[in-house]
């Protein structure tokens, strides 16, 4: 390995390590602060809710007493308290007492001690009036105790709220509300896992971005500088006219290239000046031509071979946009299904996934021909039109069939875009690193699948299903901007086109029994099983277990989380 490659490799590794570690530390601190801040801020809201419930019960009881119903003989009070308890899962019990004896109750009543009951006004104001510094101190103090409690199954005593009821002078009546401590713990656990998923996704996205930035601003310019220096040392002063340089190192490479360009300009001026003045112009022309050929003083290098990194970020962003909806597609269709539909519910729930996969399989062979005819960059941008149109169709769908049609339209764009990216990678890699380039293609798809599936579930759990498709449309448009900036307009793919134009290439593949056996008995069945199980059965089964949308996304991302390290 030469010195320039060693320097580039060393710089790449250090920059990647430093960036990833910095991002991890920053994300961890942000996640820890968010977790404890949530714990700190949720208390006043729960206090407010418990106080409101207690106040409603208090007012209803006093209304009954005011119209002449004896406090000890309020009919239907037990049912009233049961209904109240069922409506609010954060409550453990509701009780009405007379002289410290329970008269009416719903749920398992714990020890009722008025001195233990929390004052809403005092506790709420204590939380809400805390300054930033005070909250930061609480964060540092509570963090060691908070993290172990997230996974603890032990239950602590419920928070107790009470309000006195005006019954009679000789009767002490109160309404008690118990606020579950496990409810707060469950909410914190959900937030913890959501933050953990976001942390993992941020690190993966950071890795993808750092890889591209390093290649564009460090590795690429270093390799180009090395190439120019090697040519100049050998006496080759060719000028590369179609290279775009980035960063400080790119400026250095541009300066080296500019030196060759200046030398060529001087030689051209000297050639134009001497040739008309000499009587032996043929001999002078021959000598000058010999000098020009020896030092490449008239050679222009205009072909940019491109790099796999050009397609990495656009492919990642578009795949990420597509995967946002994978964790809830059957559940999304279920919301729009009408029983009067001519298609049964079981078929309709899986129809968008089936149509999506069928359209991809049907369009891929034609997309490959379109890439050869119009080029990767143009086809990527064209594929965005049906892809984004399909996302808008799902976002504004009014029935299940709208979703099926929209997913088919998106699949058409998805097939075009993925084939254009795959073709781009195949065009820029050499025979020595072709396997590495294809592995990068698969790795980017798996990384986008993991991030998109998990984050899409979290977003859908917070704001609903349809806004996720609007976000997908925005990200797909952003991927198009990246592709427009990073893809090279024309690639030297003459060799690939020549081999693709050979007659009988498809027939030769079909005659290869081993290849067809792998496709028919391994690849296709595995894809069908994976799609049917992971994207159809898993969401439906988990929702039957009362799992939240965030939990469904977390479980589905395990597949990609296992695949990514095994594919490296």
């Amino acid at each position: 390995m030469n010195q320039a490659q060693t320097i580039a490799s060393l710089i790449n590794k250090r920059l990647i390590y430093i960036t990833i570690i910095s991002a991890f530390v920053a994300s961890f601190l942000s996640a820890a602060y968010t977790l404890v801040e949530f714990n700190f801020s949720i208390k006043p809201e729960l206090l407010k809710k418990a106080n409101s419930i207690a106040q409603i019960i208090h007012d209803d009881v006093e209304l009954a007493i005011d119209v002449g119903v004896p406090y000890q003989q309020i009919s239907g009070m037990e049912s009233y308290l049961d209904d109240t308890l069922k409506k609010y899962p954060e409550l453990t019990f509701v009780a009405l007492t007379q002289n410290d004896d329970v008269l009416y109750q719903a749920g398992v009543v714990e020890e009722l001690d008025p001195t233990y009951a929390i004052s809403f006004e005092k506790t709420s104001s204590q939380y809400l009036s805390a300054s930033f510094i005070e909250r930061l101190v609480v964060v540092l103090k509570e963090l060691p105790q908070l993290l172990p409690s997230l996974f603890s199954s032990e239950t602590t005593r419920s928070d107790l709220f009470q309000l006195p009821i005006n019954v009679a002078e000789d009767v002490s009546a109160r309404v008690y509300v118990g606020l579950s401590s496990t409810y707060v713990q469950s909410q914190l656990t959900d937030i913890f896992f959501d933050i953990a998923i976001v942390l993992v996704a941020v690190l993966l996205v950071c890795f993808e971005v750092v890889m591209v930035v390093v290649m564009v601003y460090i590795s690429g310019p270093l390799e180009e500088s090395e190439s120019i220096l090697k040519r100049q040392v050998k006496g080759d002063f060719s000028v590369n006219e179609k290279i775009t340089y980035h960063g400080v190192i790119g400026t250095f490479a541009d300066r080296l290239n500019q030196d060759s360009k200046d030398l060529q300009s001087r030689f051209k001026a000297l050639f134009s000046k001497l040739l008309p003045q000499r009587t032996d112009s043929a001999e002078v022309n021959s000598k000058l031509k010999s000098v020009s050929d020896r030092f490449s003083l008239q050679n222009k290098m205009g072909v940019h071979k491109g790099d796999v990194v050009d397609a990495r970020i656009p492919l990642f962003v578009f795949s990420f946009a597509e995967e946002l909806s994978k964790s809830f597609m059957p559940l999304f269709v279920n919301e729009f299904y009408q029983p009067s539909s001519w298609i049964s519910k079981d078929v309709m729930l899986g129809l968008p996934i089936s149509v999506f996969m069928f359209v991809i399989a049907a369009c891929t062979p034609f997309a490959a021909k379109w890439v050869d005819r119009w080029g990767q960059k143009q086809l990527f941008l064209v594929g965005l039109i049906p892809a984004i149109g399909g996302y808008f169709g799902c976002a504004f769908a009014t029935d299940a069939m709208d979703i099926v049609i929209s997913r088919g339209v998106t699949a058409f764009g998805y097939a075009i875009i993925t084939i254009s990216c795959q073709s781009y990678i195949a065009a820029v890699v050499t025979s020595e690193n072709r396997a590495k380039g294809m592995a990068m293609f698969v790795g980017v798809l798996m990384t986008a699948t993991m991030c998109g599936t998990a984050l899409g579930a979290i977003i859908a759990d917070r704001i609903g299903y349809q806004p996720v498709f609007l976000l997908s449309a925005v990200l797909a448009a952003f991927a198009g901007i990246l592709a427009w900036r990073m893809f090279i307009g024309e690639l030297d793919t003459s060799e690939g086109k020549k081999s693709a134009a050979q007659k009988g290439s498809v027939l030769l593949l079909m005659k290869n029994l081993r290849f067809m056996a792998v496709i028919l008995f391994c690849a296709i069945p595995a894809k069908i099983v994976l799609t049917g199980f992971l994207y159809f059965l898993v969401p439906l089964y988990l929702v039957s277990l009362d799992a939240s949308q965030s939990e469904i996304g977390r479980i589905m991302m395990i597949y990609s989380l296992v695949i990514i390290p095994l594919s490296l």
Side-chain angles (χ1 to χ4, degrees), residues 50-51 53-59 61-62 71 77 80-81 84 93-98 104 112 117 160-166 172-178:
N51 181 76
I53 296 171
Q55 189 66 51
I56 292 174
I57 298 174
H58 169 274
D59 294 343
V61 172
E62 285 198 344
Y71 178 63
M77 180 55 67
Y80 171 73
L81 296 180
T84 302
F93 68 89
V94 181
L96 296 174
T97 64
Q98 178 180 351
Y104 309 101
L112 302 180
L160 187 62
F161 303 86
Q162 61 86 24
L163 286 175
I165 302 175
N166 296 323
S172 175
R174 297 177 184 271
V175 53
Y176 285 92
V177 174

Side-chain angles (χ1 to χ4, degrees), residues 347-386:
V347 175
M348 181 59 77
L349 292 182
L351 195 57
I353 300 176
S354 301
V355 169
F356 186 86
M357 301 306 298
F358 173 77
V359 172
I360 290 178
C363 294
T364 297
F366 301 99
K369 295 181 180 179
W370 297 335
V371 168
D372 293 335
R373 180 177 300 177
W374 292 300
Q376 294 85 356
K377 182 176 181 178
Q378 290 78 3
L379 207 61
F380 188 105
L381 298 177
V382 170
L384 289 175
I385 298 175

Side-chain angles (χ1 to χ4, degrees), residues 103-118:
L103 190 61
Y104 309 101
Q105 71 177 59
V108 180
V109 179
E110 301 177 6
E111 180 183 356
L112 302 180
D113 184 358
T115 60
Y116 171 73
I118 297 175

Side-chain angles (χ1 to χ4, degrees), residues 120-404:
F120 167 73
E121 291 79 6
K122 181 179 179 181
T123 307
S124 181
S125 62
Q126 178 183 358
Y127 277 92
L128 296 176
S129 63
S131 64
F132 174 78
I133 300 299
E134 292 172 337
R135 293 189 176 207
L136 184 61
V137 172
V138 172
V139 168
L140 298 176
K141 288 182 178 180
E142 292 189 0
L143 187 60
Q145 293 80 22
L146 178 60
L147 293 178
S149 67
L150 295 176
F151 310 98
S152 175
S153 59
E154 297 180 0
T155 58
T156 58
R157 185 176 183 179
S158 301
D159 290 331
L160 187 62
F161 303 86
Q162 61 86 24
L163 286 175
I165 302 175
N166 296 323
V167 178
E169 295 182 356
D170 58 340
V171 177
S172 175
R174 297 177 184 271
V175 53
Y176 285 92
V177 174
L179 182 62
S180 173
S181 59
T182 58
Y183 177 81
V184 178
Q185 181 178 323
S186 66
Q187 297 299 307
L188 288 174
T189 303
D190 288 340
I191 291 295
F192 172 80
F193 282 114
D194 288 348
I195 292 174
I197 295 303
V198 173
L199 174 60
V200 173
V202 166
L203 292 178
L204 290 174
V205 172
C206 181
F207 176 78
E208 292 294 332
V209 173
V210 169
M211 285 290 294
V212 173
V213 170
V214 168
M215 291 295 295
V216 171
Y217 289 93
I218 305 296
S219 301
L222 272 178
E223 292 176 0
E224 186 62 29
S225 300
E226 176 199 7
S227 177
I228 295 175
L229 287 172
K230 280 185 175 181
R231 292 201 306 266
Q232 292 181 352
V233 167
K234 295 178 180 179
D236 183 354
F237 293 94
S238 302
V239 174
N240 202 335
E241 293 184 323
K242 294 187 178 181
I243 294 293
T244 303
Y245 302 102
H246 303 275
V248 177
I249 303 176
T251 303
F252 173 70
D254 185 47
R255 183 67 257 179
L256 294 175
N257 195 59
Q258 186 63 39
D259 291 341
S260 296
K261 188 180 295 185
D262 293 342
L263 185 60
Q264 287 194 9
S265 299
R266 292 181 182 180
F267 177 80
K268 184 178 180 180
L270 180 63
F271 189 90
S272 302
K273 180 178 180 181
L274 290 179
L275 195 59
Q277 297 178 359
R278 301 295 295 267
T279 56
D280 51 345
S281 58
E283 182 180 354
V284 172
N285 183 43
S286 176
K287 291 182 178 180
L288 290 177
K289 188 68 170 62
S290 175
V291 172
S292 174
D293 294 340
R294 178 182 176 184
F295 297 102
S296 301
L297 294 177
Q298 292 181 326
N299 187 27
K300 306 292 184 182
M301 301 172 61
V303 178
H304 189 350
K305 296 182 179 179
D307 197 280
V308 294
V309 72
D310 299 335
R312 189 176 188 121
I313 285 295
L315 176 62
F316 174 80
V317 174
F318 177 78
S319 300
F320 177 81
E322 169 57 33
E323 298 297 331
L324 286 176
S325 59
K326 286 295 181 67
S327 64
F328 59 79
M329 185 56 64
L331 309 178
F332 178 56
V333 178
N334 185 51
E335 288 191 350
F336 289 89
Y337 178 76
Q338 298 294 332
S340 59
S341 175
W342 56 276
I343 301 177
S344 66
K345 182 178 181 180
D346 294 336
V347 175
M348 181 59 77
L349 292 182
L351 195 57
I353 300 176
S354 301
V355 169
F356 186 86
M357 301 306 298
F358 173 77
V359 172
I360 290 178
C363 294
T364 297
F366 301 99
K369 295 181 180 179
W370 297 335
V371 168
D372 293 335
R373 180 177 300 177
W374 292 300
Q376 294 85 356
K377 182 176 181 178
Q378 290 78 3
L379 207 61
F380 188 105
L381 298 177
V382 170
L384 289 175
I385 298 175
I388 295 176
Y391 294 139
F392 279 114
C394 288
F396 300 103
T398 57
D399 57 38
M401 190 53 64
D402 290 345
I403 300 174
V404 174

